[in-house]
Structure formats: structure tokens, C-alpha cells
Amino acid sequence: MSGRARVTLFAMLATLFTSWSLAALVDSSGWVLEAGVLLAVQSAVGAGVRRVPLGRTLTVASQVLVSLLVLMFLFAGKGESTGTGTMAYLVTDFGALFQRGVQDVGEFAIPAPLTDGIRLLLLSGVLLIGLLVDLLAVTLRTAAAAGLPLLALYSVAAGLSGGSGASWVSFLLAGCGYLLLLLAEGRDRLAQWGRVFGAAPGARGSAGSGYAGLGPGSGQALAPVRTGRRIGAVALGIALAVPAALPALGGGLLGARGGEAGDGGVGVGGTISAVNPLVSLQGSLNTQDNRVVLKYRTDSPQLGEQYLRILALDEFNGVKWEASGRALTDVPERLPTPPGLSEQARATGIEIRTSISAADTYAQRYLPMPYPATSVDIPGKWRFEPAGRTLVGDQLGRDRFQNVQGAMYTVRSLLLRPTAEQLQAAPEPNPAIKAEYTKIPDNLPAVVGDTARQVTKGAKDDYTRAVKIQDYFAVNGGFRYDTKVASGTGPQAIARFLADKEGFCIHFAFSMAAMSRSLGIPARVAVGFTPGEKQSDGSVNVSMRDAHAWPELYFEGVGWTRFEPTPRQGITIPDYSRAEAPAAQPSAPTALPSQSAAQPSAAPSKAQDCPPEEKKLGQCGALAQQPKADSGAGGPSLRTVLTWTLSVLALLALPLLPLLWRTRLRGRRLAAGQVLAAWQELADAAWDVGIAPDEALSPRRAAARVVVLGRLTPEAADAVHRVAEAVERSLYAPPGTEAAYADLAADVLLARAGLLAPLTRVGRARAVFLPRSAARLRWSAAARWSAWTARGADLLARTRARIPVRNRG
């Protein structure tokens, strides 16, 4: 094996060993074998192209092209696009799958499932790092610099996994791979010196192999190699041992990441950090892969009210809504009475039981459950936050917390049925609650309060004001539901939303809560899931697209009450907040379940009997059967298809650029009808087949050399000699005696065909597609660059000469 081949092999192995650090990010390591095969293909292409040989740019371009084609064929058909034809099969599906992988990365916790999208991202990333390592170590012969992309790959793995993926095994593999690469390059460099001083060559070693320092029959490596091995072993040992020996380093990159001894608990008085769970809410609503994250069964008679609440955001600091830090306690066997709930309101409700199971891919630290819960039966270590009635996972170890991933638990909760009369007649709220939950930042734009007062003009009580604000957003304000809008949460984002009148649940919930607080109504924002979709077996599936945010307003005697300002299809406005006159019965009728949660009615409602707010929400008659506005027809846009098409065509055309350049240059030279231009073309044609030009020879001697080395037939040889004689006449004949040469172009083409005839297929393809005379492009570019730099230096010198120098002399 040659020295360069050995460096190529160890560059591939170094990348593969380092990529093992990514294995902790997903729940399956089967992709590592695929990465090894793809790296081998990419390295083999680079090795083959370098043997031709080609320029560095063409070598890298060939590796990129082959890698892309292999990835496209490997993942073709898995993007579930609606396009047809080869282009959709290779390009559209590939792009759609790449986008899905990006979405999966944002949705799943580590270790994530090995979906096709995530597998594509992993393989693409490893191939990119492998290409950089191969470029630096083999093509550019700087193996030491190849450690930078390897370090980047390892650092990304360690950063994404929070250190859990950076085990000592991963570090040891990455370090050994890099050291082996350096050792292979060192041997290659030593071999180029012919032999190594200081040791006699053994019988089994040779200078060319790089093993010239082997002693006879000893099998010992030469001294520089032994020294390099020892340095590498010592460096790895220090990197592994020092973090363990120095506790002040906190374990460092290789320290233990969980499972440490300790109390592992927050204790009474611990706080929930200010976590904003809305980071991925917009991505959940826009995801193309609507996977199920929760399943539950319930005995609730009103499935449309079965919201699964995660936590409440009760603090608006002028920049964002977030959960304030509050004390945590142990989870009591029976949760305390919800704040503000009177015995009269509780008597009108019923207690329901809900059994929930979370998917293994859903790693939420806050426990989703109906509100208000009265008891929770769940294994594991959990803490209770009384103000928000939230269960949060306790600390299990350093940087490890209990979460809901794969959990099965049972929640008992109250299904409250407040009436409009109860809410309308609610007394003034508790002063402490009103003081805390009506705070608004000083930088809140005046348009928020002005709009709230304008919308609620004429209302006599807080309930009527809340209903008017809800209807302003959901029914008669002209707002449009759009999940593509940027999800800003600051005060200016609310003002912009009120002006643009388009957004999704975050905008509607935040804006209604802020407007309610500006009117003195206690308000906060809840985050969780809508009821989900009922299955034929009676269970209910909750998926990522059911993620939702809604405002909760406080009414004394009822407590925190849900309102629905979001005009989204499938969401039902609560009965107690409808604009119609309240019913005469003591309790409100059962709320209509959401479209996605309840069984469809046997007979559609009549258009004339449909309330106006349900018309707005698209829940009546034929409107209810219409698909969502954002569901679309699917498939890629024309712009996406054109972009991918042009990109693939550009990649495919890249290897053809030398051929296209030579064809254009040949046509321009022969069309001019000038003898010297035709002679130059003949010289380049000979150069393309391996006969390098010799400028020291006369035309006649050069022609004889081309005939002999090119093994030309008599007809082709005569054509070469005729062109050479025409060159001599053009150069040495007296002016006016030059003879016309009508067959000049035909003789050049005949000579070129004769030069290509004796070649093999590979040699002929090499001469046509990768002509050696393309080196003139590099010479021309270097000459132009030199001319430009000289011109710039001359212009700079003249400019300096024109600038007057004061106090000269």
C-alpha cells in the first residue's frame, strides 16, 4: 500500500471513529455502519480521481457529486412528496426528508428515535466532515489541520448530548483515530526522504515503504515512529486521567454526567426555573410528521373540555411570558382545593378519571394533566407547585431530571361547569391575586390598553369584558390563524399582532392575557394540548399538532377559567363564554366536543341554525368539511423544484467543463482560418493525449515528434506535416507570397482523430473529458492575476506620488 493510500484509509477511519460520539444522540447505532460504507465510497472516489490525476478542485467536486448521488438514491422515496418523475424521486423527496430531519431534531429529546430525517442529517454531517478531513490530510497533505473538523464533530456531539455522549470511550476512539492519521502521514513523509538515518534497513523493510528503520528480524518500529506512539499514548492518558484526578474540574468533558450520589432533590423551598416551554410550539404546529406523544382514556362526558395542561406562564416582564420561580413541595396524596373555587361551583361539577401514557420520545419535565387535578398517581420523583397546580420532575442527579418519557399515570380532576351568571356575578377577586396577576410592564404599548377599552366599551363587568375580547379575536375582529408568523413574545410583538391581525395560538393567548390585565382582570397563559383525536377503541391520541396555548382568567368563586380567542378549526369555545344569552337551566349544556376529539354527528347542522362564532371557526355544515387552510395540497413549490433541478444540473455539468472549454476553444481557433492558431490547436491536441509541447523545436521537428510519439497513420502524418509547412511559410516566407490553405481546419481535425485512434477507451476518455491542455486556464489566470496586482501596485505608487508631503526637505 502506498503512503498516500495509507493516509486516505486512516483519514476515513479517523472520521468514522469520531462519528461514534454521535451515537448517543439517537436510540439506535445502526447508522454508523452505513456511515462507514458511505465514507469508504467517498474516500475511494477521491483516491481514484487523484490517480488520474486531476486538479484538487475537480477531486473534491467528484467526491461531492458521488456522495450526493449515493445519498439521493439511498433516501429516495422516503420524503413522501406528491411529485412524480425522476426529479421528484431524486431531488424533491431528498429535500423534503432533509427538512423533516431538521424538524425532528427540534422536536425529540436525546436520545431521539432514528427517523429517516435524522438518519439523513447524521450521514450527511459525517460525510461532510469526512470530505474536509480527506481534503486536508490527503489532498492538501496537512493531516495536523484535519484535527479541526474532527474536533468540531466531537464538540457538536458533546454539546448536543449535554456531555452524556462524550464518554471516555468516544473520546478514546476519536483521539486514537486522529493519532493514527498523524502516524500514517508521518510514515508517508519519512518515506519520501528515501531512508531514515539512525537505523539500518532490515530485510523486510524498504525506504519506499516507510519502514526503513526496522531492524533485521526485530519487528521493531523505527525511532521516530516509536516516539510518536509514546507521545500519543501519554497525551491520551493525561486527557483521561487528569479530569478524574482533579475534582475542581467538575469532571470536565469526561466526567460523570448523572447518577452521582446526593440528595437528588430540590427540597421544600426549591424553585422552578424560568423555563419558556413555547420554544418548540410553533415547530410542533408546523411539523409534517404528526406523531402521537400522549394516549389517554377518560370517563369525562365532555371530551371537548379535556385539555391536557402542562404549566402556566404567569409573569410578563415586558420581553416574554414565563413561569415565575415558585417554591416546590412534595406531591400530596390529595391536591389542595384550587384557588378561588367555591363550594357552590364545585357542587355543579363532577370528578373524572383519566389514564395517560406518554410516548418514549416525549421527554417533557412538566407533567401534562387535566386542570384542576385533585390527585395524581405516577411513579418516579415529582414535585408539586401549588400556585400553578403543576407537577415538575425532581432532580435525579447532576444535570438529570425526572421526566414524563414513557410514563403511565392516572389523574383525577374536576370537570367544572360554571354558568355565565356565576361568572357575571363574581365578586372582586382576592387582593393578593389581583395585585400579582394584573401586573403589566411599563413598556407595554399604549395600543394594547386602548384596543382593550375600545373592544369592551359598554361592558359592565369583567366577565362581559372577557367575552368581548375573546370574540374580538375569534369571531368579529378580522383575525386570521397562521402558524408561519414569527412567534415574538415581547410587547412590540403584541402591538404588531394587533396591527397585522394574523398569528397562531401564542399571539392570541398572549394578547388576550395582556389586554385583560390592562383592564384589571387577573390573567395568565396556559400551555399544553387540546383534547386530541378519539380512536375507534375509545382511547384518544394527542399529537404534536395538538400543542396549544390559551389564556386563563381568574373569577372569584370559580377560579382560573379557560377562554379561547384562537380562531382555529377544531377548537371549541367554552359554553360559559359564548356571546348568546345564558341558558335558563341551572347548569350549562354539555359543550360541543372539538372536531378532532369527538365522533362526527350523523346529520350536519343547518347553516341557518349555526351561531356566528361557529361559522367563524368553520364548525357548521359544509364549512366543517373543508380542509384546514394550512394543510394545502402538499408537495414542493415550483421554486424549490427549480432550485434543486439547477443545483443537480450544475453538479452534473461540473465534470464536463473541461470538455466544453476545449470544444469551444477548438471551434474558435479553426474558424479564424489562421495558420498559427491552427498550429496551436494541433499542439494542444497532442498534449491532450500525453505529448507535452516542446517550444524549443522548429515546426518541422515538432511535427516529426508528434508523428512518432502519436503513432499516426500515413494520412494523419501527412496532415501534420502539411500544417507544419504552412506554419513555416507563414513565419519565414516573404510578405505577399503566402499561399491559401483551404483545408487547414480539416487537416487539424484529421490529425486529432489520428492521435486519439491508438489510445485505449480509458485514455481516449481521459483526453476528451479531462484534457491536459486545460492547464492553460491556470496559466492564464495566474498571468491575469499578476497583471492586476502589478497594475494595482503601479496605481498605488502613482497615488502616493501625487499626495503632497508637508515639511519635506
Side-chain angles (χ1 to χ4, degrees):
M1 182 183 293
S2 66
R4 176 169 283 196
R6 187 180 298 107
V7 175
T8 302
L9 174 62
F10 282 104
M12 181 199 72
L13 291 178
T15 305
L16 185 61
F17 289 169
T18 307
S19 67
W20 177 255
S21 59
L22 296 172
L25 302 181
V26 292
D27 58 6
S28 174
S29 57
W31 64 272
V32 179
L33 180 60
E34 295 181 347
V37 174
L38 294 178
L39 283 173
V41 172
Q42 181 175 266
S43 300
V45 171
V49 173
R50 279 187 289 265
R51 288 182 64 87
V52 171
L54 294 181
R56 295 172 177 175
T57 304
L58 291 178
T59 301
V60 176
S62 301
Q63 290 177 288
V64 172
L65 176 62
V66 172
S67 299
L68 282 176
L69 291 176
V70 172
L71 283 176
M72 287 181 180
F73 280 104
L74 183 63
F75 289 94
K78 297 183 178 180
E80 298 180 3
S81 71
T82 57
T84 57
T86 305
M87 190 57 62
Y89 184 76
L90 293 178
V91 179
T92 308
D93 291 0
F94 186 76
L97 190 61
F98 193 90
Q99 293 178 355
R100 188 198 298 175
V102 174
Q103 294 170 353
D104 289 343
V105 169
E107 292 175 7
F108 289 111
I110 295 173
L114 188 61
T115 64
D116 290 330
I118 293 179
R119 187 162 62 99
L120 173 61
L121 291 182
L122 289 172
L123 294 178
S124 301
V126 171
L127 283 178
L128 177 60
I129 297 298
L131 179 65
L132 293 176
V133 172
D134 186 85
L135 172 65
L136 293 171
V138 187
T139 304
L140 301 181
R141 294 180 179 271
T142 55
L148 293 176
L150 294 175
L151 177 62
L153 179 61
Y154 181 83
S155 300
V156 167
L160 290 178
S161 61
S164 61
S167 65
W168 67 271
V169 176
S170 300
F171 179 78
L172 189 61
L173 284 175
C176 288
Y178 182 53
L179 291 178
L180 289 173
L181 174 60
L182 294 179
L183 184 61
E185 190 211 27
R187 287 178 173 174
D188 184 39
R189 289 184 181 274
L190 288 174
Q192 295 175 13
W193 285 87
R195 72 183 182 89
V196 178
F197 296 99
R204 292 181 296 171
S206 66
S209 66
Y211 292 91
L214 293 175
S218 65
Q220 297 295 321
L222 52 92
V225 173
R226 290 199 305 270
T227 303
R229 288 175 178 171
R230 292 168 182 171
I231 292 175
V234 171
L236 281 177
I238 292 175
L240 290 171
V242 168
L246 299 179
L249 296 180
L253 188 63
L254 302 176
R257 309 296 301 177
E260 295 92 335
D263 59 359
V266 181
V268 177
T271 60
I272 301 176
S273 58
V275 177
N276 188 349
L278 302 173
V279 174
S280 61
L281 180 55
Q282 185 174 18
S284 300
L285 295 173
N286 286 320
T287 182
Q288 298 296 320
D289 190 358
N290 193 23
R291 58 179 54 87
V292 174
V293 294
L294 297 169
K295 288 177 176 288
Y296 68 87
R297 292 179 179 272
T298 182
D299 57 4
S300 173
Q302 292 180 262
L303 195 56
E305 298 294 330
Q306 190 74 0
Y307 279 56
L308 297 181
R309 183 174 173 275
I310 298 176
L311 82 163
L313 310 179
D314 53 10
E315 185 175 303
F316 186 28
N317 58 16
V319 178
K320 60 183 178 180
W321 285 83
E322 58 186 2
S324 58
R326 296 182 183 275
L328 300 176
T329 65
D330 292 332
V331 180
E333 183 177 351
R334 186 77 179 178
L335 302 186
T337 302
L341 181 62
S342 65
E343 289 299 327
Q344 180 184 0
R346 181 165 186 165
T348 61
I350 59 173
E351 187 172 81
I352 61 174
R353 182 178 184 273
T354 306
S355 299
I356 308 172
S357 61
D360 292 334
T361 57
Y362 184 60
Q364 173 63 251
R365 188 184 167 194
Y366 297 87
L367 188 67
M369 56 185 182
Y371 182 87
T374 57
S375 66
V376 183
D377 181 13
I378 183 172
K381 299 180 65 177
W382 296 87
R383 309 288 287 175
F384 178 62
E385 192 274 290
R389 301 184 68 82
T390 300
L391 260 66
V392 58
D394 201 356
Q395 189 170 8
L396 300 177
R398 186 183 177 192
D399 297 332
R400 291 179 60 242
F401 295 89
Q402 178 72 54
N403 61 49
V404 74
Q405 187 174 17
M408 299 181 65
Y409 56 101
T410 301
V411 181
R412 290 189 176 274
S413 60
L414 295 177
L415 177 60
L416 299 177
R417 298 172 176 176
T419 64
E421 292 94 334
Q422 286 177 316
L423 297 172
Q424 194 169 15
E428 279 293 314
N430 183 295
I433 290 181
K434 184 170 183 178
E436 179 178 359
Y437 293 98
T438 57
K439 292 179 181 179
I440 55 176
D442 296 334
N443 59 348
L444 185 68
V447 65
V448 178
D450 295 342
T451 304
R453 286 185 289 272
Q454 181 181 357
V455 169
T456 61
K457 186 177 181 180
K460 303 299 184 181
D461 55 83
D462 287 348
Y463 164 75
T464 306
R465 296 187 186 98
V467 171
K468 283 182 175 290
I469 296 175
Q470 172 185 268
D471 292 345
Y472 172 68
F473 289 118
V475 180
N476 51 37
F479 286 83
R480 187 172 66 89
Y481 182 81
D482 185 1
T483 60
K484 304 298 182 181
V485 178
S487 57
T489 58
Q492 295 301 326
I494 297 178
R496 187 165 53 250
F497 166 66
L498 294 176
D500 297 341
K501 294 191 173 184
E502 58 180 7
F504 57 104
C505 58
I506 289 178
H507 301 90
F508 290 98
F510 286 1
S511 299
M512 182 171 177
M515 291 172 67
S516 299
R517 285 193 175 191
S518 70
L519 298 176
I521 306 174
R524 64 188 185 186
V525 176
V527 180
F529 295 96
T530 54
E533 184 175 357
K534 190 171 183 180
Q535 306 299 302
S536 58
D537 61 353
S539 64
V540 181
N541 288 351
V542 178
S543 61
M544 294 302 298
R545 288 191 190 173
D546 293 316
H548 188 45
W550 62 91
E552 290 181 343
L553 276 56
Y554 182 85
F555 292 92
E556 194 67 37
V558 179
W560 290 104
T561 308
R562 177 177 65 90
F563 283 79
E564 273 298 354
T566 305
R568 192 177 94 182
Q569 185 177 353
I571 293 181
T572 303
I573 293 178
D575 280 354
Y576 53 77
S577 65
R578 295 184 184 273
E580 290 84 11
Q585 289 82 0
S587 61
T590 302
L592 293 174
S594 65
Q595 258 190 329
S596 61
Q599 297 290 352
S601 174
S605 60
K606 298 180 181 179
Q608 59 269 25
D609 297 333
C610 186
E613 68 273 11
E614 293 193 4
K615 288 183 180 179
K616 181 69 177 181
L617 297 178
Q619 296 176 347
C620 302
L623 293 177
Q625 305 301 324
Q626 295 178 358
K628 296 181 181 179
D630 58 354
S631 61
S637 63
L638 179 61
R639 180 179 179 181
T640 302
V641 174
L642 291 177
T643 301
W644 278 97
T645 302
L646 293 178
S647 301
V648 171
L649 290 178
L651 287 175
L652 293 177
L654 191 62
L656 301 179
L657 289 180
L659 170 63
L660 298 176
W661 172 77
R662 281 292 289 124
T663 302
R664 181 175 178 273
L665 182 62
R666 184 183 306 112
R668 188 172 60 190
R669 285 171 172 174
L670 299 182
Q674 298 179 359
V675 175
L676 295 181
W679 177 250
Q680 186 68 50
E681 173 58 32
L682 181 58
D684 283 353
W687 190 6
D688 291 340
V689 299
I691 305 174
D694 189 349
E695 302 293 341
L697 299 178
S698 66
R700 186 170 301 180
R701 292 287 301 275
R705 177 171 175 265
V706 169
V707 169
V708 174
L709 296 180
R711 294 171 294 171
L712 297 182
T713 61
E715 295 82 0
D718 291 343
V720 172
H721 287 300
R722 285 195 295 269
V723 175
E725 292 173 2
V727 172
E728 290 179 340
R729 286 196 302 270
S730 175
L731 292 175
Y732 308 120
T737 61
E738 299 89 345
Y741 193 174
D743 296 332
L744 177 63
D747 282 346
V748 172
L749 294 177
L750 178 60
R752 178 175 179 271
L755 289 170
L756 294 174
L759 300 179
T760 62
R761 291 184 178 179
V762 176
R764 193 178 300 115
R766 168 71 171 82
V768 172
F769 292 98
L770 300 172
R772 294 175 175 83
S773 61
R776 296 189 185 276
L777 285 175
R778 187 170 67 252
W779 297 348
S780 176
R784 290 184 180 181
W785 175 254
S786 299
W788 287 342
T789 53
R791 189 178 305 172
D794 182 61
L795 180 61
L796 182 60
R798 281 194 239 172
T799 304
R800 289 178 176 176
R802 292 175 184 172
I803 298 176
V805 180
R806 297 183 180 180
N807 302 326
R808 179 180 293 178

